[in-house]
């Protein structure tokens, strides 16, 4: 057994809630984030500084952030442009995440820019962040497949990664936005990226549309990746990417990694309570696929 650390960033309060039919209040969003922090998640994405017309569920992310209980968590927020960066910086968000897709149509649909326009915006934000001494990472979305253009050219992912790292991005999250990758493709792309840039900058973000989320996470682990996004209770999806379902559930990913001997630092009992809360608040989240088994296992342990 190894006891290497794996860092999990819960994106439920952003990727999860942005796509829900029900818009949660600031207090409910804080309640969900606080429950994740109570489960000792080391990192949580708390929201997005995007147009509230484009994504109404992410309005008032600054207010959400200001009321949070646990200051030790690495809180982050998504930003699409310089305006988002400035708003996140003013709110004091410690880590912001740019988003750029490896497909031109996806960029046009999601952030109303071509890939080249978005890349210029990203590099501008990174330059500003360097002056401000702020940490900014970048998501490379639709890294394996795009709902509009089909299969993604891996060369485009490599090109964007190189430009963003060169521009000063503190990390790169490689995202399977619609959950269309298979483990073989994940291993191929992540191995290539790691051999070119090392494993340190990378995290992976998998959706579970085709029930390959955990298998894809395993393929990424095998490629040397030790940072993952996941979403409590499997919440998630992108309103601008048709066919995307929820992210791989945090409880399932923690279970798999811990059983493989990795240390996530997450308290499973408290995580199950956060999953219950996510289900209760949204009315749509299903909970991780292994949730019943995990509940029974911890119940049996507690009464042993
Ligand atoms: N935060 C809040 N408001 C913003 C903003 C930001 N970061 N950037 C722009 N806006 C506002 C503008 O002020 C404008 O407001 P108005 O209509 O009241 O004047 C409106 O949004 C449109 O601005 P414009 O510059 O014309 O942008 P656009 O219509 O081309 O939209 C984005 C571009 C990026 C702002 C918009 O597409 C967006 O927010 N996308 C987010 C997508 C997302 O979150 N996807 C899911 C996660 S991957
Ligand atoms: Zn996502």
């Amino acid at each position: 057994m190894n006891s290497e650390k794996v860092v999990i960033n819960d994106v439920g309060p952003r990727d999860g809630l942005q796509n829900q039919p029900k818009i949660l209040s600031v207090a409910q969003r804080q309640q969900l984030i606080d429950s994740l922090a109570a489960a000792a998640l080391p990192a949580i994405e708390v929201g997005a500084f995007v147009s509230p017309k484009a994504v109404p569920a992410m309005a008032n992310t600054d207010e959400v952030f200001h009321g949070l209980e646990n200051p030790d968590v690495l809180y982050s927020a998504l930003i699409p442009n310089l305006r988002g960066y400035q708003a996140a910086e003013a709110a004091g968000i410690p880590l912001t995440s740019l988003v750029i897709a490896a497909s031109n149509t996806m960029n046009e649909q999601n952030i109303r820019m071509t890939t080249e326009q978005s890349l210029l915006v990203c590099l501008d934000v990174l330059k500003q962040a360097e002056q401000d001494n702020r940490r900014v990472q970048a998501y490379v979305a639709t890294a394996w497949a795009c709902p509009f253009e089909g299969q993604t050219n891996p060369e485009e992912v490599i090109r964007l990664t190189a430009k963003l790292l060169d521009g000063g991005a503190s990390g790169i999250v490689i995202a399977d936005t619609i959950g269309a990758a298979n483990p073989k493709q994940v291993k191929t792309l992540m191995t290539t990226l790691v051999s070119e840039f090392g494993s340190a900058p990378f995290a992976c973000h998998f959706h579970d549309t085709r029930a390959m989320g955990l298998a894809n996470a395993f393929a990424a682990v095998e490629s040397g990746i030790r940072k993952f996004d996941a979403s409590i209770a499997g919440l998630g999806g992108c309103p601008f990417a048709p066919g995307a379902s929820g992210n791989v559930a945090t409880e399932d990913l923690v279970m798999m990694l811990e059983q493989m001997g990795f240390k996530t630092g997450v308290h499973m009992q408290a995580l199950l309570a956060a999953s219950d809360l996510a289900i209760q608040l949204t009315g749509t989240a299903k909970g991780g696929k292994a949730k019943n088994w995990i509940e029974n296992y911890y119940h049996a342990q507690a009464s042993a």
Side-chain angles (χ1 to χ4, degrees):
M1 283 280 214
N2 62 68
S3 58
E4 258 183 275
K5 253 178 81 171
V6 174
V7 174
I8 297 181
N9 171 43
D10 199 299
V11 297
R14 196 276 303 168
D15 205 346
L17 298 185
Q18 74 182 8
N19 206 30
Q20 292 297 311
K22 191 168 146 197
I23 294 184
L24 299 195
S25 68
V26 166
Q28 288 172 319
R29 289 162 67 189
Q30 287 167 336
Q31 198 189 352
L32 181 62
I33 295 163
D34 287 340
S35 75
L36 292 165
L41 256 312
I44 302 172
E45 190 176 33
V46 299
F49 290 85
V50 299
S51 162
K53 282 185 196 149
V55 190
M58 292 293 103
N60 307 315
T61 290
D62 50 349
E63 271 183 60
V64 170
F65 176 67
H66 284 139
L68 296 178
E69 279 171 4
N70 193 330
D72 298 330
V73 181
L74 178 59
Y75 292 117
S76 63
L78 190 101
I79 53 168
N81 53 21
L82 190 60
R83 166 127 182 235
Y85 165 80
Q86 285 161 340
E89 205 224 341
I93 306 274
L95 173 65
T96 48
S97 306
L98 286 160
V99 57
I100 181 168
S103 130
N104 199 55
T105 314
M106 186 65 206
N107 281 317
E108 286 174 344
Q109 294 288 327
N110 191 36
I111 49 177
R112 316 236 150 259
M113 292 180 252
T114 64
T115 302
E116 288 321 297
Q117 285 167 335
S118 173
L119 187 56
L120 288 178
V121 166
C122 288
L123 294 175
D124 243 20
V125 169
L126 290 167
K127 203 181 282 171
Q128 183 62 47
E130 194 181 358
Q131 281 170 23
D132 300 340
N133 208 10
R134 310 286 299 195
R135 224 168 121 187
V136 178
Q137 63 174 5
Y139 277 80
V140 177
T142 58
W144 285 275
C146 163
F148 310 104
E149 294 184 12
Q151 296 268 312
T152 299
N153 180 359
E155 291 302 325
E156 179 65 350
V157 179
I158 296 165
R159 179 182 80 93
L160 293 175
T161 297
K163 296 250 185 212
L164 292 162
L165 284 176
D166 197 45
S170 68
I172 304 289
V173 188
I174 303 293
D176 183 17
T177 309
I178 56 169
N182 67 51
K184 197 170 171 187
Q185 293 169 321
V186 169
K187 184 123 191 226
T188 304
L189 180 60
M190 294 320 297
T191 306
T192 307
L193 288 168
V194 168
S195 68
E196 203 135 327
F197 306 100
S199 62
F202 293 107
C204 281
H205 173 113
F206 295 114
H207 284 257
D208 205 24
T209 316
R210 303 185 192 181
M212 283 189 262
L214 277 189
N216 287 336
F218 175 67
V221 166
E222 289 275 285
S223 316
I225 303 306
R226 296 292 180 269
K227 285 181 279 185
F228 290 91
D229 282 359
S231 178
I232 191 66
L235 279 172
C238 175
F240 308 101
S245 79
N247 293 73
V248 62
T250 311
E251 52 267 47
D252 289 348
L253 185 63
V254 168
M255 175 199 68
M256 181 184 87
L257 292 168
E258 295 279 340
Q259 289 190 3
M260 288 170 68
F262 290 103
K263 293 278 166 263
T264 63
V266 175
H267 298 166
M268 190 55 103
Q269 297 276 40
L271 192 67
L272 291 172
S275 174
D276 290 342
L277 179 66
I279 293 168
Q280 183 209 317
L281 288 174
T282 62
T284 55
K286 294 191 175 66
K289 289 178 183 152
K291 193 172 168 193
N292 280 344
W293 181 87
I294 300 168
E295 273 166 354
N296 290 336
Y297 177 77
Y298 279 88
H299 189 70
Q301 276 203 331
S303 53

